[in-house]
Amino acid sequence: MIRLATVLAACAAMLSVPAQGEVVDQGSNSFVTRDSATVGAEPQAVWLELISPGGWWNDAHTWSADASNMMLTPQGGGCFCERIPATEDDGAIGLAGSVQHMVVLQAFPRRALRMRGGLGPLQSEPVDGVLTITLKPVDGGTRILWEYVVGGYMRFKVSDIAKAVDGVMSQQLDGLASKLGRIDDPDPEPETPSEAQSEDAPDPAPEGDEEAEPEPVIESAIGEDFLDEPTR
């Protein structure tokens, strides 16, 4: 049985990590974190490493304190899970446990991995989260885009938990990227539509002129723009 102190330490570690990526959206009960990294490896190698989280996930953000217990089944309905090994304190053989971190929604080899679930302390809250990881070939390697969308009632202060989760997500991405070998991105992502609009927006129409309101800009979910490209 896991000691309560271990569980509390895992939660505290998540809440104490500084943000490295970006909280790109935040509401009263929701937030979106996003980060990216470019590595000097082909999508095939990146995919194989991605679906083996025991080799790059951070020990501090596991319930067992050992990332080698992490496992991922890259199939729809598959589990991103963690083994909780039995210990001498259990007093009997066969008391090993497990944790379901997320459930796989989409596994598109070399292209995209999408999973649903609340990570870390979010597991104790009635929130839903969707993590989408997309891989895009670039000159000399692969760009990894990592986005986590969380929504629902939570007892945490949203601004605080959003920054903490953002930091942990970037820490995991950094573990993956560091193992594969980070490189400079030869083709950085363009500005988002909302950013481009803010800089290039036309002057407001004079008072009295009636014009139809512009259609709202809806950004595509991260990853969808890659699914129509040929696979390497």
Side-chain angles (χ1 to χ4, degrees):
M1 182 167 55
I2 295 182
R3 296 180 184 276
L4 178 60
T6 301
V7 175
L8 295 176
C11 294
M14 184 173 185
L15 292 170
S16 65
V17 173
Q20 299 295 323
E22 182 182 7
V23 178
V24 296
D25 192 18
Q26 183 176 300
S28 59
N29 279 306
S30 63
F31 61 89
V32 181
T33 74
R34 187 179 298 165
D35 199 1
S36 65
T38 302
V39 298
E42 292 295 309
Q44 174 79 354
V46 178
W47 177 260
L48 292 175
E49 197 65 55
L50 173 63
I51 62 175
S52 303
W56 51 268
W57 197 268
N58 190 290
D59 290 339
H61 300 292
T62 66
W63 298 98
S64 63
D66 185 353
S68 68
N69 291 314
M70 306 291 278
M71 50 191 173
L72 194 158
T73 302
Q75 298 289 327
C79 189
F80 175 29
C81 291
E82 178 181 351
R83 293 179 293 271
I84 306 296
T87 68
E88 293 180 359
D89 294 337
D90 295 325
I93 298 175
L95 290 183
S98 64
V99 179
Q100 176 181 286
H101 292 281
M102 310 188 95
V103 175
V104 175
L105 301 177
Q106 179 189 116
F108 199 137
R110 301 179 296 277
R111 310 287 280 282
L113 177 67
R114 178 171 286 137
M115 301 182 288
R116 182 184 297 276
L119 293 169
L122 294 176
Q123 189 181 77
S124 67
E125 307 302 300
V127 301
D128 201 6
V130 176
L131 174 63
T132 302
I133 303 168
T134 48
L135 312 180
K136 182 176 183 179
V138 295
D139 288 343
T142 303
R143 181 187 300 125
I144 308 169
L145 290 172
W146 189 292
E147 183 181 76
Y148 191 33
V149 183
V150 176
Y153 173 77
M154 65 189 83
R155 292 170 292 179
F156 300 107
K157 184 178 179 181
V158 174
S159 59
D160 291 342
I161 192 67
K163 291 179 182 178
V165 171
D166 177 45
V168 173
M169 292 294 92
S170 292
Q171 189 178 75
Q172 308 314 322
L173 173 58
D174 183 64
L176 174 62
S178 296
K179 186 160 187 180
L180 290 162
R182 276 185 181 266
I183 62 172
D184 292 333
D185 195 330
D187 183 25
E189 283 291 285
E191 296 174 317
T192 62
S194 57
E195 290 172 341
Q197 271 199 332
S198 63
E199 294 185 1
D200 302 327
D203 295 332
E207 293 185 7
D209 288 358
E210 295 185 1
E211 294 185 1
E213 293 187 3
E215 291 291 329
V217 175
I218 302 177
E219 295 185 42
S220 297
I222 192 169
E224 290 183 0
D225 55 335
F226 299 157
L227 297 183
D228 58 358
E229 295 186 1
T231 305
R232 284 192 177 184

